Amino acid sequence: MNRLNRLTAILVQLQSKSWVTAQEVADRFDISIRTVYRDIRALEAAGIPIGSEAGKGYFIVKGYHLPPVMFAKEEASAILLAAKLIHKQTDESVKEHFENALYKIKSVLNYKEKDFLENLDGQIAVFSPPSTTDRDTFPNNFLTTIKQALAHHKVLQFDYFANYRGDFTSREVEPLGLCYYSSHWHLIAYCRLRQAVRDFRPDRITKLSSKEEVFDPYVHKPYTEYISDMFNDHHFETVEVRFSENVARYISEQKFTYGYVSEEKKGGAVIMKFTTANLNYFARWLLMFAGDVQVISPEGLRQELKSMSRALYQAYNVS
């Protein structure tokens, strides 16, 4: 990137948040801190009102705005991809807000980029299985309320469906973070009922409301530590299985869902390695491949498959 383009990009970055540190700029453009200082001075010399404060970073003086930003084709197509993912992986409240934002973004594109997006739009799609959740019981519009509570440190109140118990309990929580894993959004919050940090799925929440009460988030550990501890508590086992080449080519995407690590073609078959925290869950996946898969290790996985096979035989061995 030449210097002129970098200066423009730095100016956009400065307007993207209240404070931007020199280190953030250096990391983004892979330049030294000294170069960042020179670039900031160059922008100031060009008449851009940039303020700074030791220990916090740089900011654009209130009241200054850039003219509408122009997007390159690659940037516009990246926004389109994000829109497709957001439509399938968020709730109705977020979809509506992003759609409004997307209209504003498209409004500043030139005709060439608009035509490019229109041509591309119908050729990109994100598919997911139909939801089996009862939306009359679990409304699909809570992510925006949760985000606002996170930003303003507001206490949330809701009824939560505990899957393992099959019933609802009323909860009052201090929201600490929102993250996406295992194909679902998860609210990490301090639960006042359980007096501990807990993981709540928004698609199991009903009757949610944000209270006026404000809490201090800094009395709790960062929610990322809770996530890290949760994953580290699982005992992961290494699995090695042999797939026939015919089957291996059809699981190119599935395998990543089950902890895929590596693979090696050998003797007309493909030997794959995985890591899993649940051999029973992994065995249920392997069962669909019948004679086209063979467990190399561990022995526990082999026993799981044997047990499931016997149960199937007994269930369907009807004379």
Side-chain angles (χ1 to χ4, degrees), residues 8-43:
T8 303
I10 290 173
L11 182 52
V12 171
Q13 184 178 6
L14 288 171
Q15 291 205 128
S16 69
K17 54 194 294 191
S18 300
W19 295 89
V20 177
T21 67
Q23 191 61 56
E24 287 175 320
V25 178
D27 291 342
R28 182 184 176 194
F29 299 102
D30 195 22
I31 56 179
S32 67
I33 295 293
R34 182 172 295 180
T35 300
V36 174
Y37 295 155
R38 286 200 297 265
D39 286 349
I40 294 296
R41 285 197 296 270
L43 289 171

Side-chain angles (χ1 to χ4, degrees), residues 221 225-237 276-277:
K221 293 193 303 184
E225 290 188 22
Y226 173 85
I227 293 293
S228 178
D229 291 343
M230 180 180 66
F231 286 141
N232 289 335
D233 283 344
H234 286 295
H235 173 63
F236 288 92
E237 293 194 61
T276 181

Side-chain angles (χ1 to χ4, degrees), residues 74-89:
E74 294 77 11
E75 293 168 335
S77 62
I79 292 168
L80 178 63
L81 283 174
K84 298 288 184 179
L85 289 169
I86 284 173
H87 183 73
K88 288 294 183 181
Q89 296 181 342

Side-chain angles (χ1 to χ4, degrees), residues 19-20 40 44 49-61:
W19 295 89
V20 177
I40 294 296
E44 290 173 330
I50 299 175
S52 64
E53 185 175 325
K56 294 190 72 172
Y58 297 104
F59 64 94
I60 297 291
V61 174

